[in-house]
Amino acid sequence: MPTRSWPSSPLAAAGRAFDLLVQHPTHVVFDGRDVAGLPDEVLPLGRLRTLLLDAQTGPEVRDAVWRALVVRARRDGPAWVVAAVGIALPGLRRMAGLLAFGWHGDTHDLDAELLVGFVERLTSIDLEPPRVVGRLIGAGVRAARRARDAEADAYMVRANAVDPIAPVQPWDHPDLVLVRAVAAGVIDVDEARLIAATRLEDVTLAETAARMGIAASTASLWRQKAERRLLEAIRDGDLFMPLRRKARRLPVEQRSEPGATPRRDVSAARR
């Protein structure tokens, strides 16, 4: 699959990353034998998502699965972060639609904040109370609402501005970059885990090497080579998917000089 054809929509790109992650053969699977109420077998993540959406699956089963998914996302690196996002994607898309209702700004920004809020909450959510996935999605919704309110306030402040507005610098979540790099064959799973642990989670190289059963010097060499390939892929644009787009330009009549004749805003296209 071409690496330059990532969807511009953050949620669509998250779905693409999940699809690549679960393609056969994959090591990212869920052991249903660990959760009472699931089939007594190892489950592909696509099937697991279908089971969790089934009305016959009880809330206790869903919470047990999501507790396990959060633990894996915290412990086993970016592949399981993307797995969690992909399994929650139906709920995230539903909330994205509600957030976009009546909004005339760039909905990609809202989707991005929704995703980032969800991913960041994975690291700190209390697993004891029920409704684990609901609370994760709720954290994403709150992040998106804050961004929407801030953009609305900024729009009002800029309404009488004459000078051009500087665009927002595009960015991406590092876990999603790493999993796309694995899917594209730029780095392998072990290299992604090594980079994530030592660069994103403040785990020392010696500790990570010990966990992987290799010498620290070997881990250092692996990381150096993997990061070189990763950097080249990012520079070439192979892994980039903008989670934030340029700031929305104001309609022409709201950017006009005082006394100038207003022009009609004919741009009403939205997704």
Side-chain angles (χ1 to χ4, degrees):
M1 183 176 295
T3 58
R4 293 181 182 272
S5 60
W6 288 98
S8 60
S9 161
L11 291 177
R16 173 76 64 82
F18 180 77
D19 291 342
L20 288 172
L21 183 69
V22 301
Q23 279 184 353
H24 184 77
T26 178
H27 72 289
V28 186
V29 292
F30 190 90
D31 195 342
R33 296 169 294 186
D34 294 336
V35 177
L38 289 182
D40 192 24
E41 58 186 284
V42 174
L43 300 170
L45 294 187
R47 186 181 173 200
L48 178 65
R49 181 169 67 181
T50 300
L51 288 170
L52 293 180
L53 292 172
D54 193 319
Q56 295 184 353
T57 301
E60 298 83 3
V61 175
R62 291 193 185 93
D63 275 337
V65 170
W66 270 100
R67 289 184 181 105
L69 289 172
V70 171
V71 170
R72 295 297 297 270
R74 292 173 178 175
R75 184 187 67 196
D76 296 336
W80 281 96
V81 173
V82 173
V85 171
I87 292 173
L89 206 52
L92 289 167
R93 284 175 172 149
R94 182 168 59 252
M95 296 311 300
L98 294 175
L99 287 163
F101 183 76
W103 175 246
H104 299 288
D106 190 344
T107 56
H108 284 45
D109 284 349
L110 299 184
D111 293 350
E113 297 294 342
L114 178 67
L115 271 178
V116 173
F118 178 96
V119 170
E120 290 181 345
R121 189 61 173 144
L122 282 172
T123 65
S124 60
I125 190 168
D126 185 353
L127 297 180
E128 288 298 324
R131 295 187 60 257
V132 176
V133 67
R135 289 185 288 123
L136 286 168
I137 293 175
V141 170
R142 288 191 294 274
R145 283 175 176 163
R146 286 193 296 269
R148 187 180 63 183
D149 292 346
E151 175 66 15
D153 291 345
Y155 186 89
M156 292 177 64
V157 169
R158 296 196 305 259
N160 296 319
V162 175
D163 295 332
I165 303 299
V168 177
Q169 185 68 26
W171 60 288
D172 205 347
H173 196 284
D175 283 338
L176 298 182
V177 174
L178 287 175
V179 82
R180 286 201 297 276
V182 173
V186 176
I187 58 177
D188 63 27
V189 173
D190 287 333
E191 290 168 333
R193 186 174 297 134
L194 175 61
I195 293 171
T198 58
R199 298 302 194 193
L200 306 179
E201 300 169 12
D202 295 326
V203 181
T204 67
L205 190 62
E207 290 174 323
T208 306
R211 293 178 186 175
M212 298 175 68
I214 59 177
S217 57
T218 302
S220 177
L221 183 60
W222 281 9
R223 186 179 66 178
Q224 181 182 9
K225 291 181 177 179
E227 287 180 337
R228 186 180 300 121
R229 296 195 303 274
L230 188 61
L231 179 60
E232 290 174 356
I234 291 172
R235 284 175 172 169
D236 291 342
D238 293 342
L239 305 178
F240 178 73
M241 184 279 294
L243 282 185
R244 303 198 66 168
R245 298 162 68 88
K246 291 183 178 180
R248 179 167 53 89
R249 296 298 302 275
L250 295 173
V252 173
E253 69 270 19
Q254 293 181 333
R255 291 187 281 113
S256 302
E257 296 276 2
T261 303
R263 295 172 56 189
R264 290 185 61 196
D265 176 28
V266 296
S267 59
R270 293 189 61 228
R271 69 170 190 179

